[in-house]
Amino acid sequence: MKNTFALLLVLVFIISASCKRNAGDVIENKVNDLLSEMTLDEKIGQMSQLDMGSFGGPENIKQAARDGRCGSVLNYLGTKEINELQKVAVEESRLGIPVLIGRDVIHGFRTVFPIPLGMAASWNPEIVKEAFRISAIEASSQGIRWSFAPMIDITWDPRWGRIAEGCGEDPFLASTLAKAMVEGFQGDSLSDPTALAACPKHYVGYGFSEGGRDYNTTYIPEPLLRNVVLKPFKAAKDAGAQTFMSAFNDLNGVPTSGNPFTLRTVLRDEWGFDGFVVSDWASIQELISHGFATDEKDAAAIAINAGVDMEMVTSCYYDNIKQLLDENKISQAQIDEAVRNILRVKFRLGLFDNPYADPEAEKTILNKSFLEHARTVARQSVVLLKNDNKTLPLSGEISSVAVIGPLADSPRDQMGTWCFDGDTAYSVTPLKAIRDVLGEKKVNYVAGLTYSRDKNTKGFNEAVRAAKKSDAIIYFGGEEWVLSGEGQSRGEINLPGAQSELIATLAETGKPLIIVLMAGRPLAIGNEMAASDAVMYAWHGGSMAGPALADLIFGKESPSGKLPVTFVKGSGQIPFYYYRNNTGRPAVPESWTHIDSIPKENPQTSLGYRSFHLDYGYAPLLPFGYGLSYTTFEYSNLTLSSDLMRESGSITVKATVKNTGDFDADEVVQLYIRDRVGSITRPIKELKGYKRIHLLKGEEAEVEFTLLPGDLAFFNGKVTATEPGEFDVWVGANSDEGLHDEFKFE
Ligand code: NOJ
């Protein structure tokens, strides 16, 4: 019986593998047939992506489609308009090749989810996957079949405005989320009309822009590149991502849109990627500003040789490919390969069979269940940073609250950066949601500051009056949407405007002070945390940020998010990330003397000579993985199935987690390891697993993780391998604490 079952399984596997192979062959044949009919001009057309604005509007784009000179467009919107364009491409161009419509659908289309950094704080790939599925359903209903996401640039610099768009600082967390995002976009079948081709970006290293200044140079040694930066991209490729976007930055002296090592050696040769690579906006032309190409012709040659298949917006390819071929600076085989890569994706998306969007599909947009999911994601993305004396949750019976702050009622700001299509009419603010819970009369609302950068304190008195007549103050502040995102980097990452003064003034009233911060980056908020009783970090939470926050404030659910990034004390502490090396002089608490305590005479005797700042000290404000709950969790019974792992083996790590408080809640249980000695230095902690569990009050559960030899492997400059030696393992609530054990790998 057992054998028959095993045989059946093998048969099913063989049949499904061979079906897949056949489907692949069918597509490959179609691609080659089409390619053999194409003129060089038509091939170059497929390699060009036109922007509606820069190309002079819809009529010009349609003409380009008619002429077969438009493989893809971006920033073209509307079901009717897109269908009309497709009709021109399919019916009026010589070969009828449909246009691939791309758009930046980064964290939702019309239903807006939290910014990706916020989604990452949920540590919940399932709900993130569903959010991306919903985004795909909404966007595809208008004929969009390709999104320039997920953005999975690891960054260790919160000054960088684009930290908002990514999944934070850690390669493991980002990899699990990258997989979820790709799977959500692409669905079960690429040819399903609701599937969007994913485009992991920005390949690669862009998040390491020096000084956090956008578009800046990056220097990333290969071990860091492979052990950290490339990890989420590999996960996205393995999840089936169909396209990649080459980035703006130069990497170790070679711009990434002209980098054969990352685009050919790693992506194609090592990973076997068979989709296509699009440049970022004008990043081929920008090879000239980089000082890497002499002119547009040179730039086109470099990008083609490096393996960029499609050019976004600029026309270096269109204007120069023919001449480059004549001069033998590029080959016909390279052009054919690029076009094959593009057509392959178009065939996989089913565009040739069904190029049009069904006008009926648009009806699903802003569906109630989509908004409800946005509320769930927003709720799970909120991180409780402080809750002295159980200030939160507030009772629904509270007689009055003061709602203060520039982001209490700012529908656009809460939707965050990279939000082209969100509808402010559907963006429910915290003020509205709190009024819905308590009724208008119990809510004393005064903005105090009109927007986040407002320095005018004239509204403070009224805010204080509102605070004094209320039982509690809830302050909603942070950053407006425009302070994070592309080109929106900051040198100081404090609360902008006069917000800190307003918070300090409110604290003087002595009323319980809750601050809720919505921002596109982790801000340096040490003083504000100290001044308040409770702090929730809500990122930019999207359309349903208000109701989600009200759910938490009034205890419908407990906060359960965990930080996907370290919070620093101030900009001068950057970079500070948990995944750091130990150094030869690791900081220990006893070694630190605060700058103000150094004696004038013989000052050197008080110094620890260790790795810290005299002013900031040795620790960040809050560690990666941190987040409180309305309940408490107790961790116990850490057990390892063995204290020895061998090449072909594995270790099971188990721990018991108990809800010891009086609130049903989720906890994100985290597993970290440390490779004690390596052929290159290894980080003091590496996340290797996490699980979100729900525990009723008093309930306990055993959480289990499996560690495999591959989980311990790293690139040491020559090879990727697991090195024999001793390993630490921790299971706990954040990167700074946890039950500890150890094992050996032989
Ligand atoms: C430039 C940005 O860097 C990229 O993320 C985006 O997808 C493109 N512009 C298209 O808008």
Side-chain angles (χ1 to χ4, degrees), residues 49 74-75 103-104 106 147-149 151 162 165 201-202 206 214-215 245 248 279-281 312-313 418 420 486:
Q49 183 184 54
L74 79 162
N75 297 331
R103 192 163 181 81
D104 288 287
I106 308 297
S147 168
F148 310 124
M151 193 286 217
R162 305 199 77 169
E165 289 173 61
K201 67 183 188 188
H202 304 84
Y206 183 37
D214 207 359
Y215 315 114
M245 184 186 291
F248 286 131
S279 76
D280 200 347
W281 185 285
M312 186 186 281
V313 180
W418 280 111
F420 289 163
E486 185 179 345

Side-chain angles (χ1 to χ4, degrees), residues 61-92:
I61 300 260
K62 278 186 201 156
Q63 189 54 44
R66 203 170 278 124
D67 296 343
R69 101 151 279 339
C70 169
S72 170
V73 291
L74 79 162
N75 297 331
Y76 208 100
L77 206 59
T79 313
K80 186 170 150 280
E81 291 75 4
I82 288 176
N83 278 346
E84 278 171 13
L85 172 63
Q86 286 295 27
K87 194 162 186 306
V88 171
V90 171
E91 293 183 9
E92 299 177 33

Side-chain angles (χ1 to χ4, degrees), residues 351-581:
L351 278 178
F352 287 86
D353 296 329
N354 182 15
Y356 303 112
D358 173 3
E360 287 296 299
E362 251 190 302
K363 290 187 183 150
T364 56
I365 281 182
L366 290 162
N367 182 301
K368 245 184 164 181
S369 67
F370 296 174
L371 289 164
E372 203 38 55
H373 191 65
R375 182 177 184 157
T376 303
V377 182
R379 205 164 45 220
Q380 293 197 13
S381 74
V382 173
V383 188
L384 181 66
L385 302 181
K386 177 178 179 180
N387 193 19
D388 280 1
N389 307 316
K390 295 197 175 171
T391 306
L392 284 170
L394 295 180
S395 156
E397 304 300 307
I398 193 165
S399 49
S400 61
V401 295
V403 171
I404 315 278
L407 271 79
D409 195 27
S410 186
R412 174 64 192 90
D413 286 324
Q414 73 182 35
M415 294 199 296
T417 188
W418 280 111
C419 176
F420 289 163
D421 305 295
D423 189 342
T424 44
Y426 284 83
S427 179
V428 188
T429 67
L431 177 64
K432 160 99 177 58
I434 292 172
R435 280 181 172 154
D436 284 350
V437 174
L438 294 180
E440 297 255 338
K441 282 196 191 134
K442 291 182 173 180
V443 180
N444 300 313
Y445 168 60
V446 178
L449 293 164
T450 54
Y451 65 118
S452 80
R453 283 165 297 141
D454 191 356
K455 292 187 178 136
N456 190 335
T457 59
K458 72 174 191 294
F460 281 23
N461 287 343
E462 202 194 339
V464 168
R465 275 198 296 279
K468 283 189 173 156
K469 65 178 182 198
S470 307
D471 287 349
I473 310 164
I474 319 176
Y475 175 86
F476 292 92
E479 288 182 323
E480 302 143 72
W481 74 267
V482 79
L483 295 186
S484 58
E486 185 179 345
Q488 287 140 215
S489 296
R490 297 182 61 201
E492 295 297 337
I493 56 161
N494 49 4
L495 271 181
Q499 293 188 72
S500 302
E501 290 93 305
L502 180 52
I503 289 170
T505 309
L506 293 171
E508 281 168 19
T509 63
K511 298 281 176 162
L513 174 59
I514 298 151
I515 64 175
V516 180
L517 297 177
M518 303 192 214
R521 59 165 60 74
L523 293 166
I525 47 165
N527 292 339
E528 295 77 12
M529 278 185 73
S532 52
D533 300 286
V535 183
M536 291 210 282
Y537 215 82
W539 321 100
H540 288 135
S543 311
M544 296 299 278
L549 282 162
D551 291 344
L552 300 173
I553 290 168
F554 297 105
K556 203 169 148 193
E557 251 184 47
S558 169
S560 56
K562 301 268 185 170
L563 297 180
V565 278
T566 302
F567 271 48
V568 294
K569 290 180 176 163
S571 288
Q573 209 181 21
I574 298 167
F576 206 121
Y577 45 94
Y578 91 93
Y579 188 99
R580 58 192 180 273
N581 291 343

Side-chain angles (χ1 to χ4, degrees), residues 732-744:
N734 62 61
S735 65
D736 218 23
E737 60 187 59
L739 303 172
H740 172 257
D741 207 335
E742 52 198 41
F743 64 92
K744 271 193 187 148

